[in-house]
Each structure stands twice: as structure tokens, then as C-alpha cells.
Amino acid sequence: MKKLAVLILSILMAFSIVGCSSSNQGAKSDIKVVSKVKGTVRLAFAGWQLNDGIDPITGEKNMGVKNFIKNEFQPRFPNIKIQVYQIPWQNAQAKQTAMLKSGDVDVMYTAGAYAAQWNQQGLLKDISGLIKNDKSFDPNIYLQGVMNNSYSTKSPDKKAQFGIPSVLGQYETIYDKKIFDEWGVEPLSDTATPQEVLEKAKKMTGKNPKTGKQNYGLWWEGASLNDTTFVALASYYHATGGTGTIDDPKNIKWNLNSPEMVKVMTWLKEASKYAPDAFVNNKGMENFGQEKNNNVAIGLDQNGSGIMGLIKGGASKDLLKRYKPAMNIGEGGRGWVAVDPFVMAKDAKNEKASWEVLKFFTSYTTQKYAYKNFGFTPTLAKPDFLDQDDQYTKTALKLAAISKTSLLDEANPYFSSQMIPAINGFISKAHDGNAPDIKTFLDNLQKSAEKWSAQQ
């Protein structure tokens, strides 16, 4: 264990911030002390920016975590010392897993799927009691859909709260109204159905009548790591995937070859005709969201932060009129909602101090900081600090408010490890005109899932 700890510490970037009067120079003098709890907390971030820097898109200065802690955390918690570790996203799961197992971390910011797996492995603390006994903590400030229903924050049986939602992913439909106008196609509805998207994408695939450029009506990630478009379609067509819970995989009753699932795969087969070749490698829409876009009309599961970044950097606000957001294509406008939480290690050394740190880094103060400096989408029910022009984050919050969980989620090991690669392979072959027979494809998937469950 000690060798593992030394290896981890040698790999990660670390620094300590000591909360005391001598280190508080430059901090805001009007901030009141919140707690006198004492202790040291080891805090590991997947991603985030430690040092101050310049946003590459907007050109604006942004504050790194180090100075944020100095200016905002230390004055409130003068007796808590934080040791911070920054871990790149590309190997966050392996390194954070190692830290949990070796007892070298107390609080972490991480991906929701990782957190769900760690909870099932018994590596995270159930913070339900801490929430219940802390009158200063109000769980109602968060979107209740992600606070109480997300696999990223709560166990499938709803008994254990192991995470507090911190950052949302944006997975909404965004379309280029300029291309719609050039083709004479009516704009998408606010809650465009899969059928509407398909019909309009078909109309805008071909030579643009105004520019003469080749246009593609539709784009989504054809090699997605979590198949968000598939999840939204399954919601719309009521293709549940089966019955059961992901924490009891042996007893899942799979239903992957249902008539409803046939409709999902039929849509994907047809939609693949209207996307550029590179979409099967998650490419082909590099100019979408910019003034120079001239090929893709509709983007599924999109993030508007890049557009907002361009505008902050000096681009014309006309982009807001051109790139319009809509809800996702799931039932009622639903879609998959990514939730990244802060979690506490089961063996956290100082529970009281760790709880104060976890609370602070999921608080209004931190979420405002993360949105203003890095464009992170908040998980708050009333984030009054949003840019008034940010129609994309507002849409993402509407999506999160109506989110639901299902078996078809990245937290489901079978879905993430076997279904996703199979679906992506189907999409690639369909785009090449060699789609497998859908019924046979789904029958094989059903057999594979049943075999997987039997082995659990």
C-alpha cells in the first residue's frame, strides 16, 4: 500500500493551502468565518485548472483553483488545510481508483459513471446522515432530478446518497437556422421529435441551393463513449432495455430485441444517411457553431459553451440568432444528462473537515466561480448568475430538470462495455450501406446480455 501511495504522489501535481491568518493576504476581508472545524483534507480534482490563466477562446483571464481557495475558501474555513491533487481526465478513473483503495484521498471531483461504480464497490461514504444532521446544508438548492435520481449521486435503490451534483453536461439539440433558411425548411420545434429531425435532415442533405456547397442535415457522435443519442431515442420509443436495477445485474430481465428497440435501430440506420462520413469517428462538424459553418444543419447532443465563448471573445451576437437550441429528442424533450459530482472516500480521515470541503465545492459560491471562469454548467435550481444571453445553459437546465434514469446508462457495466461498441459498429456499417439485419443484431445483443447477467 505504501509503495502505491508513493507512486501516486509522484505522478500527481500537489500543493497544500494552509488556512491561517498569515496566508490570507489578498483574500476578501468582508467574508465571514463559516466554520472553525480543524483538519487536513486531501482533495483530488479530475480536470479543473489549478493556476490562473487565459481562456484560449475568449482571451479573458480566469482564476485557477489555487487562488479560488485562497480568496474564497480560506476566509470561511481558516483552520482547514487542503492538499490538492490535479489529475488529467484521460487517466482519472485509474488514478482516482488507486487513491481510494490506498486511502490517499478524502474528497474527489470526478465523472458520474466512475462515482457510481465506486459506490457499488463500497469505496465511497454514504453522506445521507451528514446531510440530514447539517442544518446549514440545503439539498433543495439543487435540481432535484439530478440530486435524487441520478446514478451519479444516489444508489439505484435510492437509499444511499454518495455524491453532490456539481457540474452538468450539455446534451441538447442545436441547429443552424441560416442553413435552414437557405433550404427553405421550417425551424425545429422546441421539443423536436426524432421523426421531425429525420424529415428535416433529409431535406437539407445535398447541394445547398444558395451556396452550392454539400450540406448534411444531421450530425451526432457515431463513436460515442456513452451513446447519448441512442439513450434519448430509447426514451422516446419506450425501449426500456429490460427490468431490474444496475446494482443487481444478475437479476436484470433484459428486453433488447423488443419492437420498440427495433424502432430505435431503424431510426439510427436511416439517420446515418444524412451525416458526413467523418461522423463515425466523431468528426465532420468542426465549423459548427461558427460563422464559417457551411455543411451541418442539425447537431444532436450539443454543447453551446463554445458559441458563448466565441461571443465573449468578440464574435457577433448574431451567432445567438443563428444557432438555436432545442430540447433533446427523448420523450417530452428528454435526453441523457451527464452529472459530475463531488464524493467522499469511505475512509476519509477527517469526516467533519471533509464534509465542509465537499459542501463548499458544490455550493452556490463555487458553482458561480466555475461557470464564470470555465463555462461549467451548474446543477443549481436557481443559478441567478447565468449570462442573460446564454440560451444553451438555460436549455440544459430544463433538460436536467426532467431527467430520468434507466438501465441504458453509462453506470450500467454491460451497457458501457458491450452495448455501446456494438451500437457504434452498427451505425458505422449503416452509414456505409451495410447495416446488419436489425432483428438479428438485437437478438444477438439479447443473448449477449443474458449471458453477461448469468456470469455476475
Side-chain angles (χ1 to χ4, degrees):
M1 287 294 189
K2 289 184 178 179
K3 289 183 179 180
L4 180 59
V6 171
L7 176 61
I8 292 171
L9 293 176
S10 68
I11 294 174
L12 305 179
M13 297 176 59
F15 66 89
S16 296
I17 298 181
V18 183
C20 60
S21 59
S22 62
S23 65
N24 253 352
Q25 295 179 2
K28 295 181 180 179
S29 59
D30 60 340
I31 296 178
K32 296 180 180 180
V33 173
V34 171
S35 172
K36 294 184 179 180
V37 170
K38 296 181 180 180
T40 297
V41 176
R42 299 159 300 172
L43 175 59
F45 287 95
W48 291 55
Q49 177 182 307
L50 296 188
N51 299 307
D52 294 354
I54 303 294
D55 189 292
I57 297 177
T58 67
E60 295 181 348
K61 293 181 180 180
N62 49 38
M63 182 192 299
V65 171
K66 291 167 66 174
N67 272 330
F68 175 67
I69 292 176
K70 177 181 178 182
N71 296 338
E72 299 289 346
F73 179 84
Q74 286 185 325
R76 292 174 169 85
F77 306 90
N79 300 315
I80 295 179
K81 173 183 176 181
I82 297 183
Q83 294 177 345
V84 177
Y85 303 93
Q86 191 274 342
I87 306 167
W89 269 115
Q90 56 264 34
N91 50 13
Q93 183 176 20
K95 289 184 177 179
Q96 288 186 318
T97 300
M99 294 183 82
L100 284 169
K101 289 183 176 180
S102 61
D104 287 310
V105 68
D106 300 305
V107 176
M108 296 193 306
Y109 169 81
T110 192
Y114 305 164
Q117 292 172 26
W118 293 327
N119 178 62
Q120 291 178 29
Q121 294 165 16
L123 296 173
L124 301 182
K125 185 179 292 294
D126 179 359
I127 57 176
S128 303
L130 293 169
I131 293 173
K132 182 179 180 180
N133 296 324
D134 189 341
K135 294 181 179 179
S136 70
F137 181 78
D138 183 7
N140 295 314
I141 70 171
Y142 303 95
L143 290 162
Q144 294 305 290
V146 297
M147 180 69 176
N148 295 318
N149 297 319
S150 173
Y151 290 142
S152 302
T153 57
K154 208 155 191 172
S155 60
D157 61 10
K158 309 299 182 186
K159 293 181 179 180
Q161 184 88 41
F162 60 84
I164 303 297
S166 171
V167 179
L168 290 178
Q170 286 191 22
Y171 292 91
E172 61 201 58
T173 301
I174 298 179
Y175 64 96
D176 187 339
K177 189 174 182 298
K178 181 173 181 288
I179 292 181
F180 272 69
D181 290 342
E182 288 168 348
W183 282 90
V185 175
E186 285 291 316
L188 285 180
S189 305
D190 289 340
T191 53
T193 64
Q195 293 96 320
E196 180 184 346
V197 168
L198 210 58
E199 290 168 4
K200 292 179 178 177
K202 181 177 181 179
K203 292 178 180 178
M204 294 180 288
T205 299
K207 289 286 183 69
N208 186 303
K210 293 288 182 68
T211 67
K213 299 287 187 179
Q214 173 65 36
N215 283 174
Y216 298 94
L218 187 60
W219 189 95
W220 78 96
E221 286 191 346
S224 174
L225 294 175
N226 39 39
D227 272 346
T228 53
T229 299
F230 172 84
V231 172
L233 289 166
S235 166
Y236 181 82
Y237 290 112
H238 299 160
T240 63
T243 57
T245 60
I246 63 173
D247 59 342
D248 186 17
K250 186 175 182 64
N251 291 309
I252 292 176
K253 303 299 181 184
W254 295 98
N255 188 20
L256 298 177
N257 53 356
S258 66
E260 292 80 12
M261 197 64 76
V262 170
K263 293 179 181 179
V264 172
M265 301 308 298
T266 300
W267 190 96
L268 290 171
K269 177 181 177 181
E270 178 67 16
S272 69
K273 300 176 183 178
Y274 312 126
D277 292 342
F279 96 106
V280 298
N281 295 313
N282 297 343
K283 298 179 180 180
M285 65 171 306
E286 288 73 18
N287 295 328
F288 191 83
Q290 302 179 45
E291 181 62 37
K292 59 184 177 180
N293 178 52
N294 60 10
N295 66 327
V296 174
I298 304 170
L300 300 181
D301 295 312
Q302 291 300 294
N303 186 325
S305 62
I307 300 171
M308 291 305 300
L310 290 172
I311 292 172
K312 290 180 180 178
S316 171
K317 284 191 175 183
D318 286 345
L319 288 178
L320 297 171
K321 298 178 182 178
R322 177 173 175 177
Y323 291 99
K324 306 299 293 183
M327 299 290 277
N328 211 302
I329 57 174
E331 182 184 25
R334 291 188 181 91
W336 187 73
V337 177
V339 182
D340 290 344
F342 275 84
V343 297
M344 189 186 302
K346 183 178 180 180
D347 299 323
K349 287 186 175 180
N350 188 323
E351 183 180 281
K352 288 185 178 180
S354 296
W355 174 235
E356 296 293 354
V357 169
L358 193 156
K359 281 194 302 179
F360 176 79
F361 277 94
T362 55
S363 68
Y364 174 96
T365 298
T366 300
Q367 294 206 32
K368 179 178 180 179
Y369 153 76
Y371 174 78
K372 293 293 186 182
N373 284 270
F374 308 114
F376 291 178
T377 303
T379 62
L380 302 171
K382 297 179 180 179
D384 57 9
F385 47 77
L386 296 184
D387 187 313
Q388 63 178 1
D389 293 325
D390 191 354
Q391 55 191 340
Y392 311 105
T393 296
K394 292 174 183 176
T395 300
L397 293 176
K398 290 179 182 178
L399 273 162
I402 61 172
S403 66
K404 290 184 177 181
T405 55
S406 74
L407 282 177
L408 306 175
D409 186 280
E410 64 172 0
N412 181 338
Y414 179 76
F415 179 72
S416 58
S417 67
Q418 297 189 46
M419 276 191 72
I420 287 176
I423 294 165
N424 290 344
F426 176 94
I427 292 170
S428 179
K429 291 177 180 178
H431 181 66
D432 290 338
N434 299 310
D437 175 74
I438 292 176
K439 190 66 172 65
T440 302
F441 172 82
L442 292 176
D443 285 343
N444 290 336
L445 205 58
Q446 175 73 15
K447 293 176 183 177
S448 170
E450 290 173 348
K451 180 178 179 181
W452 177 85
S453 284
Q455 295 172 342
Q456 302 307 303

